[in-house]
Amino acid sequence: MALDETDRRILRVLQRKGRMSNADLSEAVNLSASACHRRVQRLEAEGYIRDYVALLNARKMGLPTTVFVEITLSAQADEVLEAFETAVQRVPAVLECHLMAGTADYILKVVAEDTEDFARIHRQYLTRLPGVAQMQSSFALKTVFKTTALPV
């Protein structure tokens, strides 16, 4: 089902403040509480709303260091890709893993306490991932902009 402008308003508001009550949401999007609730339920059922989460402050959690790791695999065979993808999901410090087009096969977003902690993660987990031929790590010096909100 296609999204109308009211659905889009609901999604924009929920992306920025997903914990608000239905009453507050309905007021924010200028809709009755019952109609708003039905629309949110439909958006959830149809998969537009995938989940509700709490976004934690990495610095307060003791993980202020962000590292982007480019991974090149030894081969492109399905079994090599699948083995890598299965194993990388078990690395606790990896927040994201993306299959890439370009020079690297994958790029990982990793969080760590500091450079020593990243060295531990690198030794203990990343170097043991199956099929890895080459790795290059880049440390983020500053996060200029970050959002989880999609353009709606």
Side-chain angles (χ1 to χ4, degrees):
M1 184 166 182
L3 297 176
D4 64 14
E5 187 51 38
T6 302
D7 292 330
R8 291 179 188 282
R9 280 196 317 269
I10 289 169
L11 293 173
R12 280 193 293 269
V13 171
L14 283 177
Q15 282 191 106
R16 285 175 175 71
K17 194 171 181 188
R19 193 172 176 186
M20 70 186 335
S21 70
N22 185 64
D24 291 340
L25 177 61
S26 65
E27 186 176 318
V29 299
N30 197 25
L31 201 60
S32 74
S34 59
C36 184
H37 182 68
R38 281 192 304 275
R39 281 182 181 253
V40 169
Q41 284 183 316
R42 181 180 51 80
L43 291 166
E44 290 170 349
E46 292 178 5
Y48 288 100
I49 298 173
R50 190 176 50 129
D51 232 331
Y52 294 92
V53 299
L55 300 175
L56 305 183
N57 182 324
R59 186 167 300 286
K60 290 220 179 250
M61 296 302 297
L63 299 166
T65 304
T66 301
V67 186
F68 294 93
V69 182
E70 294 181 7
I71 304 276
T72 303
L73 298 181
S74 57
Q76 297 290 313
D78 284 345
E79 58 272 5
V80 175
L81 297 173
E82 289 171 17
F84 175 83
E85 290 175 6
T86 299
V88 76
Q89 291 179 60
R90 293 192 295 261
V91 181
V94 175
L95 299 184
E96 297 178 24
C97 174
H98 301 273
L99 178 62
M100 304 297 291
T103 56
D105 294 315
Y106 291 92
I107 190 162
L108 312 179
K109 181 179 179 181
V110 179
V111 291
E113 295 171 13
D114 51 28
T115 56
E116 287 179 23
D117 187 41
F118 178 73
R120 178 193 61 79
I121 294 164
H122 186 273
R123 275 191 320 275
Q124 189 174 352
Y125 295 104
L126 301 181
T127 58
R128 297 177 185 185
L129 290 169
V132 174
Q134 187 177 348
M135 227 183 305
Q136 177 161 340
S137 303
S138 299
F139 285 76
L141 298 176
K142 175 182 171 183
T143 299
V144 177
F145 177 80
K146 180 178 178 178
T147 185
T148 59
L150 297 174
V152 180

